[in-house]
Amino acid sequence: MTYRVVRFILFCAATSFFRIRVEGAGNIPRTGAALLVSNHISYADAVLVGYTTPRIVRFLMWQPIYNAPGFNYFFRVLRAIPIDALSPKATVRALRAAREELLSGELVAIFPEGFISRSGDIGSFERGYEKILDGTGAPVIPVHVTGLFGHPLSYHGGGPFKSWQKLWRPKVSIRIGPPIQRRVTPAELRQIVADLRPSY
């Protein structure tokens, strides 16, 4: 029940602050394991990617964001997986925890760039997603979020709250590609996600 309440609050916030267009939501399985892999354009990305499915999505997120006062309660309710980039052992534990969720048939999501884009373009993908997938047989679901570069929650201008160009209900497009069953390299996966960027 608590999860449903938190999800409802986030759903209301998303629809209030953004005009959201979702394409390909049917590519996210209704049941069973899958790893959602998305570009990272703003601090709102997890809420927006989670918006695309009624299922619980276990997001990996940086420990400092996970521990943010006022938000940690929501992250715990949503069962986010904190990852500490400063501790290799903690990183390994987080990746293993994400893998266990896949083995349990859950949805997991990761932003393989490891950081929010400073330019609006997609950066190089790290290999952490491969460790999460190892031996699970779960498909990768590529996701592309666009329309938020220039919003206060993006890094346009050099950091959060440096740009106010898209403050009032910007149009956000979330495109979800078909499941990928084969193994793909970080470069290949990055290109697949980049190719989802809408042309309009």
Side-chain angles (χ1 to χ4, degrees), residues 173-195:
S173 174
I174 309 168
R175 300 190 75 189
I176 304 155
I180 304 168
Q181 296 287 352
R182 62 186 178 87
R183 294 185 69 119
V184 289
T185 66
E188 288 174 322
L189 185 54
R190 178 196 176 280
Q191 190 60 53
I192 291 170
V193 171
D195 287 343

Side-chain angles (χ1 to χ4, degrees), residues 51-148:
Y51 174 93
T52 64
T53 175
R55 297 180 61 187
I56 295 176
V57 182
R58 301 289 308 277
F59 282 90
L60 282 92
M61 62 171 47
W62 294 126
Q63 188 84 45
I65 298 175
Y66 180 86
N67 290 334
F71 293 95
N72 177 254
Y73 171 76
F74 292 98
F75 296 144
R76 287 188 286 110
V77 169
L78 296 172
R79 298 167 58 200
I81 302 171
I83 185 167
D84 186 355
L86 300 179
S87 170
K89 289 184 178 180
T91 297
V92 170
R93 284 197 298 269
L95 296 176
R96 286 176 178 172
R99 181 175 179 274
E100 288 300 318
E101 290 298 322
L102 287 184
L103 290 172
S104 297
E106 302 293 337
L107 286 181
V108 176
I110 188 172
F111 301 104
E113 292 164 272
F115 57 86
I116 295 174
S117 175
R118 271 50 174 175
S119 65
D121 295 327
I122 303 178
S124 299
F125 279 14
E126 303 293 335
R127 308 195 76 100
Y129 74 91
E130 294 177 315
K131 297 184 183 300
I132 297 173
L133 288 169
D134 188 35
T136 66
V140 170
I141 311 296
V143 180
H144 189 284
V145 180
T146 192
L148 280 172

